[in-house]
């Protein structure tokens, strides 16, 4: 930043950054600024958080100065800004009133109050926790590959101090990432969520180029190093890097996926076997996930799981898919449904969530074979809907769950529950889906019957709305929410009216 004025205007001159469509600054909260700066001209820099008023004038929310910091050499500057007001679209300003030259690098502003101090917004993390996740798959699907291998996610470049990470261009979704959210942070997030990590690494394949199996060994070595980082002891090469980052104990990494949607590429099977053999030799307990679909025919390579993705363009297609695995052979690897959703052109409608619920009743019914399932994607910023729909929509300060998010709350007690057979006798049986499980809450047992003895503890929860294409939004974030009410007349045999286009869950308390 070169300042040319000898008599600079009041308030000085400088630069600003609005963050991602405005920074949410709240009165009374503290924000930590970290940056590297250098100036041979002994310049004083004023760091401010400001908010634009309707008149166009700027309101100052917080300020700090580098007056007593020597910037003659590259210096790490750390300042705290205490907000004196609230603004949802604030910006960070760096200004000075003195002529000279200033170099800046790695400027970061973060709230001091994040989930467990690890940088994640509490409101968004709590929404994840409310789903009771059992695993976290990262760092994503196509993000792992890149349109070109040169822009693929490279885990080693995401470790160490964040300011030393080079970052990379995410060419699939067209944005630059500084990789402050890297391999280590994903492992840490899984731990904070009390969920098992599922690490997806590049198989030497992108959307547009691929490494021949005869040249795959450097990729295999890179994957093995990543496992050592997560599980190695303090004396190991990469385990010591993890320890230096602040996590002396190994992470419980037990699942890895080799690539993402790569089975159709000619080099995948050869590449896969190179990874498989190396991992199985050193880490025989790690469960290995193949990209090849084994639902209709047996895999021609060994695996513990195979990945299955199901995106449909209509709700009807996913509703019918509830029976897809009923007659699949139980021999061979288990199923990991790592991505499913209805993509019908809407931003998350009631109709889509009902079809997804029907699909999950089929997952429950076939849970001897389908071991894991996850909706995708989980988050989207309202200003960047590159992909839609998503489970949770957020902006700088708000968030809401789509009907697909609330649908998943009906299934959060399914893991580890006891599944019961369900018989539907109706001329509309093709339009109905149901499942039944026994689950426990605080040592009390419940029979949960989800449909598209005799105690006051029984209850019924319904997800529905006035229009099947209704959606949630920031203007009406609770338009579609599960509604729970008591079921005082619960009995072994009972009648219940099911509304059209609804998802109903009965929790019937069992005698102790």
């Amino acid at each position: 930043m070169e300042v040319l004025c000898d008599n600079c205007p009041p308030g000085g001159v400088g630069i600003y950054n609005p963050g991602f469509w405005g920074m949410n600054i709240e009165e009374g909260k503290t924000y930590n600024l970290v940056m590297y700066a250098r100036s041979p001209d002994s310049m004083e820099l004023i760091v401010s958080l400001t908010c634009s008023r309707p008149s166009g004038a700027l309101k100052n929310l917080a300020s700090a100065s580098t007056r007593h910091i020597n910037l003659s050499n590259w210096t790490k500057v750390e300042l705290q800004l205490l907000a004196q007001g609230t603004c949802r679209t604030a910006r960070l300003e760096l200004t000075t009133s003195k002529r000279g030259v200033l170099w800046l690098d790695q400027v970061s502003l973060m709230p001091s109050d994040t989930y467990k101090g690890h940088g994640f917004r509490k409101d968004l993390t709590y929404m994840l926790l409310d789903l009771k996740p059992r695993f976290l798959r990262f760092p994503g699907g196509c993000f792992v590959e890149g349109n070109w291998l040169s822009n693929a996610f490279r885990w080693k470049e995401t470790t160490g101090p964040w300011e030393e990470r080079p970052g990379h261009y995410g060419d699939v979704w067209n944005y630059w990432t500084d990789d402050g959210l890297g391999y280590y942070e994903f492992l840490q997030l899984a731990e904070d969520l009390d969920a098992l990590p599922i690490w997806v690494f590049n198989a030497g394949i992108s959307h547009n180029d691929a490494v021949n199996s005869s040249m795959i060994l450097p990729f295999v070595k890179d994957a093995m190093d990543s496992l050592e980082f997560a599980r190695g002891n303090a004396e190991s090469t990469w385990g010591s890097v993890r320890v230096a980052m602040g996590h002396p104990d190994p992470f419980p990494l037990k699942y890895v996926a080799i690539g993402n949607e790569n089975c159709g590429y000619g080099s995948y099977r050869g590449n896969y076997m190179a990874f498989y053999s190396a991992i199985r030799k050193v880490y025989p307990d790690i469960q290995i996930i193949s990209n090849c679909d084994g639902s209709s025919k047996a895999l021609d390579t060994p695996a513990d799981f195979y990945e299955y993705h199901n995106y449909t363009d209509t709700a009807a297609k996913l509703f019918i898919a509830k029976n897809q695995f009923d007659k699949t052979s139980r021999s061979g690897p288990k199923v990991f449904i790592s991505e499913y959703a209805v993509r019908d052109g809407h931003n998350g409608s009631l109709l889509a969530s009902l079809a997804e619920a029907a699909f999950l009743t089929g997952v429950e019914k076939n849970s001897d074979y389908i071991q894991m399932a996850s909706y995708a994607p989980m988050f989207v910023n309202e200003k960047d809907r590159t992909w839609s729909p998503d489970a949770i929509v957020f902006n700088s300060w708000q968030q809401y769950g789509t009907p697909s998010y609330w649908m998943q709350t009906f299934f959060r007690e399914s893991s580890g529950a006891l599944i019961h057979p369900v018989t539907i006798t109706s001329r509309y049986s093709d339009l109905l889906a149901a499942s039944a499980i026994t689950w426990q809450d605080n040592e009390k047992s419940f029979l949960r019957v989800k449909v598209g003895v005799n105690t006051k503890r029984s209850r019924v929860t319904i997800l529905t709305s006035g229009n099947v294409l209704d959606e949630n939004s920031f203007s009406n974030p609770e338009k579609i929410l599960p509604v729970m009410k008591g079921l005082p007349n619960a009995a072994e045999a009972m009648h219940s009216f099911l509304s059209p286009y609804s998802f109903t869950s009965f929790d019937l308390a069992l005698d102790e």
Side-chain angles (χ1 to χ4, degrees):
M1 181 172 76
E2 186 174 2
V3 180
L4 303 177
C5 51
D6 290 310
N7 297 303
C8 295
V13 297
I15 56 178
Y16 72 86
N17 189 322
F20 294 97
W21 303 283
M23 301 179 182
N24 178 42
I25 303 300
E26 297 184 353
E27 184 174 4
K29 292 190 176 182
T30 302
Y31 299 85
N32 299 324
L33 178 110
V34 179
M35 64 180 177
Y36 287 77
R38 175 178 178 262
S39 174
D41 302 307
S42 301
M43 297 177 70
E44 177 189 355
L45 194 64
I46 304 298
V47 179
S48 305
L49 295 173
T50 64
C51 185
S52 179
R53 291 170 168 165
S55 63
L58 291 174
K59 176 184 178 182
N60 189 285
L61 303 174
S63 289
S65 169
T66 64
R67 178 178 304 171
H68 302 295
I69 303 175
N70 183 358
L71 301 180
S72 58
N73 294 306
W74 278 110
T75 302
K76 184 177 183 179
V77 177
E78 297 183 80
L79 299 171
Q80 280 199 329
L81 300 168
L82 177 61
Q84 304 299 316
T86 295
C87 181
R88 307 303 187 187
T89 55
R91 69 190 200 183
L92 173 68
E93 292 187 1
L94 307 176
T95 58
T96 184
S97 296
K98 184 177 179 181
R99 185 184 185 96
V101 176
L102 180 77
W103 284 271
L104 297 166
D105 198 3
Q106 295 300 106
V107 182
S108 170
L109 182 74
M110 291 282 285
S112 60
D113 185 24
T114 60
Y115 187 72
K116 294 194 174 183
H118 292 155
F120 292 93
R121 276 173 51 172
K122 285 185 173 180
D123 56 343
L124 300 182
T125 307
Y126 290 148
M127 291 196 75
L128 281 183
L129 288 169
D130 283 345
L131 293 178
K132 298 183 179 180
R134 299 291 295 273
F135 64 86
L136 180 71
R137 172 179 176 254
F138 62 84
C142 297
F143 186 72
V144 173
E145 305 158 277
N147 274 331
W148 298 92
L149 282 174
S150 58
N151 291 321
F153 180 84
R154 286 174 168 75
W155 74 269
K156 286 179 181 176
E157 295 183 357
T158 75
T159 58
W162 66 268
E163 64 269 23
E164 296 178 8
R165 303 177 188 182
H168 77 284
Y169 181 60
D171 61 358
V172 174
W173 307 115
N174 298 315
Y175 65 87
W176 178 266
T177 170
D178 63 11
D179 285 327
L181 173 56
Y183 180 47
Y184 175 83
E185 287 76 19
F186 275 118
L187 287 165
Q188 192 174 60
L189 176 60
E191 183 176 72
D192 289 346
L193 296 172
D194 194 23
L196 289 174
I198 297 181
W199 164 226
V200 187
F201 51 75
N202 191 286
I205 297 172
S206 78
H207 290 178
N208 291 298
D209 56 349
V211 173
N212 186 278
S213 299
S214 63
M215 303 176 66
I216 197 61
L217 288 184
F219 284 80
V220 175
K221 174 65 165 58
D222 190 67
M224 297 302 291
D225 289 345
S226 75
L227 301 182
E228 183 179 275
F229 176 91
R231 296 183 38 158
N233 59 39
E235 286 69 45
S236 63
T237 301
W238 287 101
S240 65
V241 176
R242 182 200 70 241
V243 173
M245 292 181 70
H247 201 281
D249 295 329
F251 287 105
L253 181 56
K254 300 178 182 178
Y255 298 90
V256 297
I258 302 174
N260 172 72
E261 297 182 349
N262 295 150
C263 189
Y265 292 80
S267 60
Y268 179 74
R269 284 172 172 79
N271 292 6
Y272 172 89
M273 284 307 303
F275 286 103
Y276 182 92
S277 299
I279 296 170
R280 186 61 84 223
K281 181 178 180 180
V282 181
Y283 301 98
D285 64 309
I286 284 183
Q287 301 286 285
I288 300 174
I289 304 167
S290 167
N291 289 175
C292 296
D293 180 6
S295 61
S296 57
K297 62 179 181 179
L299 297 185
D300 53 6
T301 53
D304 298 295
F305 288 85
Y306 66 82
E307 271 193 278
Y308 179 83
H309 293 185
N310 195 340
Y311 292 113
T312 64
D313 56 5
T314 67
K317 289 181 181 178
L318 194 61
F319 194 100
I320 294 173
K322 70 184 188 296
N323 300 320
Q324 183 164 348
F325 293 95
D326 289 358
K327 296 181 180 179
T328 301
S329 171
R330 265 40 184 175
S331 62
K334 303 292 186 181
V335 188
F336 173 27
I337 302 176
S338 57
E339 299 181 28
Y340 71 89
V342 175
R343 301 196 68 212
D344 58 1
H346 296 274
N347 292 326
S349 66
L350 173 65
L351 182 63
S353 71
L354 298 179
E356 291 155 2
F359 179 67
L360 287 185
T361 63
V363 171
E364 280 188 334
K365 182 172 58 175
N366 291 285
S367 57
D368 63 316
Y369 183 57
I370 306 172
Q371 300 285 287
M372 299 181 287
S374 53
Y375 179 93
M378 188 58 68
F379 289 105
V380 68
N381 190 305
E382 67 159 342
K383 299 291 187 179
D384 187 18
R385 286 185 174 272
T386 307
W387 180 284
S388 188
D390 307 80
I392 300 169
V393 183
F394 69 95
N395 57 22
S396 68
W397 64 286
Q398 293 172 295
Q399 79 294 323
Y400 68 84
T402 62
S404 295
Y405 171 85
W406 293 110
M407 174 279 300
Q408 292 177 74
T409 65
F410 287 75
F411 291 85
R412 59 190 171 192
E413 284 83 19
S414 295
S415 292
L418 177 64
I419 188 77
H420 301 288
V422 172
T423 301
I424 298 177
T425 304
S426 170
R427 58 176 175 167
Y428 302 110
S429 57
D430 290 340
L431 303 177
L432 294 171
S435 70
I437 61 171
T438 300
W439 65 283
Q440 286 194 325
D441 181 27
N442 296 325
E443 299 183 354
K444 295 178 181 177
S445 296
F446 290 88
L447 172 65
R448 172 169 293 178
V449 180
K450 294 189 289 289
V451 184
V453 184
N454 194 8
T455 168
K456 296 180 180 179
R457 295 198 310 272
S458 296
R459 54 189 182 255
V460 60
T461 308
I462 303 172
L463 183 70
T464 190
S465 188
N467 188 309
V468 73
L469 296 181
D470 280 349
E471 302 173 356
N472 289 343
S473 63
F474 281 117
S475 59
N476 195 351
E478 298 183 352
K479 186 178 184 67
I480 304 172
L481 286 182
V483 176
M484 180 188 296
K485 58 184 179 180
L487 201 63
N489 298 319
E492 290 186 8
M494 59 187 217
H495 297 277
S496 180
F497 175 76
L498 302 178
S499 301
Y501 298 110
S502 65
F503 185 48
T504 304
S505 175
F506 298 93
D507 282 315
L508 308 173
L510 302 174
D511 293 334
E512 300 299 336

